Amino acid sequence: MQVKKLVDLNVAGKRVFIRADLNVPQDEAGNIVEDTRIRASLPSIKYCLDNGAAVMVTSHLGRPTEGEVRAEDTLAPIAVRLGELLSKPVRLIRDWVDGGFEVKPGEVVLLENCRCNKGEKKDNEELAKKMAALCDIYVNDAFGTAHRAEATTHGIARFAPVACAGMLMGAEIDALSKATENPARPLVAIVGGAKVSSKLTILKTLAQKVDQLIVGGGIANTFLLASGHRIGDSLAEPELVKEAQAVMDIMKARGAEVPLPVDVVVADEVSALARANRIPVEEVGPHDRILDVGPKTSAKLADIIAHAGTIVWNGPVGVFEHNQFAGGTKMMASAIAHSDAFCIAGGGDTLAAIAKFHIAQDVGYISTGGGAFLEFLEGKTLPAIAALEARFND
C-alpha cells in the first residue's frame, strides 16, 4: 500500500488537521481512566508542533447524537489531558466546521467531538469540503476508525490539498503489510474469542494463507464439536459446525493444520471461585465447561509459536481473566515473547492479555484497531486507507 506519510512532508507554517483516535474510557464523573490512545497520538502532534505547523486535532468520543453536544460527549477532559502531556495549553474549539477561529504556528487546538457534527457518520460531502477548507494538510492518525467511511476519516481526505497518514497510521499499515503481504514463514494465526460467527470471514481468509491456525475459546469448542468431540455445557455454536469443518478442510487441502486441544481445563461455572480440573479432551463430561486448554496442548501451541516466522494474534485461548483458566493464554504469551518471529497483535482481549502477562515490550507490533485490524486481515478494503492511497500521487 502506498500512502503519503506525515514525516515526509514539510509542515512549516502549514495548517494541519489531524484526525486522531482519542476515544478513551471515562468514569461517571468524566475522569479519564486510561489514556493509552491519547499517548499514542502524541508523536504526530509533536512532529507538527516542533516543525512549526498550526495544529488542529479532532476525534470522536462515545456515541453522541449528531447535532448536539451533551456533557458526556465533550472532549473537554481530553483537551486537559492532552495539554498536560504536551506541557502546553490546548484550547477546545466548539462549532468549528465553518472556521472563524485562529491557530498560530506552534499552537495546537482540539476541535470538539467530530461525531456531533451533522453528516459525519454518513460521510456527507458538503461537510467534508468545509473541513478540508480549514487545512493545508490532512493527517489521518486514527487506524481504529479506518474501516468506517466518515467525513473526518474518508471524505476530507478526498478534498484536502494534501492527505497523508500520521505516524500511528503509517506504523499500522507497515506492520499489517509485513504480516500479510510477504510474511516470513511459517505464518501462524491465533484466533480466539467466544463465537465463530463473529470471526467466520477471517477464519476462512486465514485458512487460505496461514501454515497453522490456532483457535481458542468458544471458537475452539465449535471446532472440537466438528471433530466429533463432546464438549458438555461449553460455549459453542453447533449450527456452525459445518463452517468449522470447512475451515479445517481448506487447511488440510493445503497441507496446513488447525491444531485442536488434546487436553482441557474444565469447571462447572465461570467464576473466580470455580474449581478447575485438567482432563484429556476425550473425558469432558455432560456438565463440564471448557474454559482453557490444558498443559499438553499449551506445550504443543508453544512449540508451534517457537518455530513461527510470523505470528498474527487476535484473541486468548481461555478465560484468562480468572487465574485458574489463564494457563494456556499465559504460556502462549510467554512463547510469543520469547519467539524470534515478527508478531502483530490486536483486539481488546488480546491487549488485556498482553498487559496482564507483561509482554508488551516483546510483541513486534500492537495494533490500536479492533474492527479495523480484523477487516484488514480479512483482506477487506478499509475506506480511510483507500482514500489516502487515492491521493498518493497528487
Side-chain angles (χ1 to χ4, degrees), residues 62-81:
R63 299 178 182 275
T65 301
E66 288 191 355
E68 56 181 288
V69 183
R70 298 167 299 182
E72 61 266 34
D73 302 326
T74 181
L75 296 184
I78 284 84
V80 172
R81 185 71 185 119

Side-chain angles (χ1 to χ4, degrees), residues 41-346:
S41 72
L42 292 178
S44 290
I45 297 171
K46 285 181 176 179
Y47 174 84
C48 292
L49 291 173
D50 292 346
N51 286 281
V55 184
M56 298 164 275
V57 182
T58 194
S59 171
H60 70 289
L61 180 69
R63 299 178 182 275
T65 301
E66 288 191 355
E68 56 181 288
V69 183
R70 298 167 299 182
E72 61 266 34
D73 302 326
T74 181
L75 296 184
I78 284 84
V80 172
R81 185 71 185 119
L82 188 58
E84 292 170 351
L85 294 169
L86 291 171
S87 300
K88 65 190 319 174
V90 177
R91 284 186 292 138
L92 179 67
I93 309 292
R94 302 177 189 274
D95 302 319
W96 52 269
V97 170
D98 292 310
F101 60 91
E102 184 182 1
V103 190
K104 297 175 182 176
E107 183 184 8
V108 56
V109 298
L110 188 62
L111 309 179
E112 186 60 280
N113 193 334
C114 59
R115 284 194 186 156
C116 292
N117 295 323
K118 287 185 177 179
E120 166 65 17
K121 294 195 74 172
K122 291 187 177 180
D123 197 17
N124 179 270
E125 189 169 300
E126 183 182 353
L127 174 63
K129 286 180 176 177
K130 284 184 176 182
M131 294 190 297
L134 297 174
C135 65
D136 302 304
I137 299 172
Y138 164 71
V139 181
N140 192 333
D141 213 24
F143 177 76
T145 66
H147 58 314
R148 304 187 188 283
E150 299 180 350
T152 57
T153 64
H154 179 264
I156 186 175
R158 295 168 56 206
F159 303 114
V162 176
C164 69
M167 293 181 179
L168 183 62
M169 176 71 90
E172 292 272 2
I173 292 172
D174 290 345
L176 282 160
S177 298
K178 182 177 178 180
T180 58
E181 290 180 3
N182 190 23
R185 298 278 178 173
L187 171 57
V188 176
I190 303 161
V191 182
K195 295 183 177 181
V196 171
S197 54
S198 63
K199 295 183 178 177
L200 182 58
T201 312
I202 187 173
L203 289 167
K204 286 185 173 178
T205 301
L206 291 173
Q208 298 169 27
K209 299 178 180 179
V210 304
D211 302 298
Q212 300 267 11
L213 177 57
I214 296 171
V215 291
I219 293 174
N221 296 338
T222 303
F223 275 73
L224 284 171
L225 265 184
S227 299
H229 289 91
R230 294 190 302 271
I231 62 168
D233 284 336
S234 305
L235 177 66
E237 292 175 289
E239 69 277 12
L240 290 176
V241 160
K242 286 185 179 180
E243 302 285 2
Q245 186 62 56
V247 170
M248 289 190 284
D249 289 344
I250 293 169
M251 293 287 285
K252 190 175 181 180
R254 295 179 49 246
E257 187 188 1
V258 179
L260 294 177
V262 295
D263 59 343
V264 291
V265 180
V266 299
D268 56 7
E269 64 176 359
V270 184
S271 78
L273 301 176
R275 179 180 174 180
N277 297 303
R278 298 172 179 173
I279 58 174
V281 71
E282 293 82 9
E283 294 181 13
V284 175
H287 301 296
D288 284 334
R289 292 188 180 188
I290 300 172
L291 300 175
D292 193 16
V293 295
K296 289 182 181 179
T297 302
S298 295
K300 181 181 177 183
L301 300 183
D303 184 62
I304 291 170
I305 289 166
H307 292 91
T310 305
I311 301 163
V312 177
W313 181 17
N314 178 256
V317 294
V319 188
F320 72 95
E321 294 86 352
H322 300 306
N323 289 337
Q324 68 270 48
F325 309 121
T329 304
K330 184 176 182 180
M331 183 175 276
M332 195 172 68
S334 178
I336 289 170
H338 289 93
S339 171
D340 292 330
F342 172 69
C343 176
I344 180 166

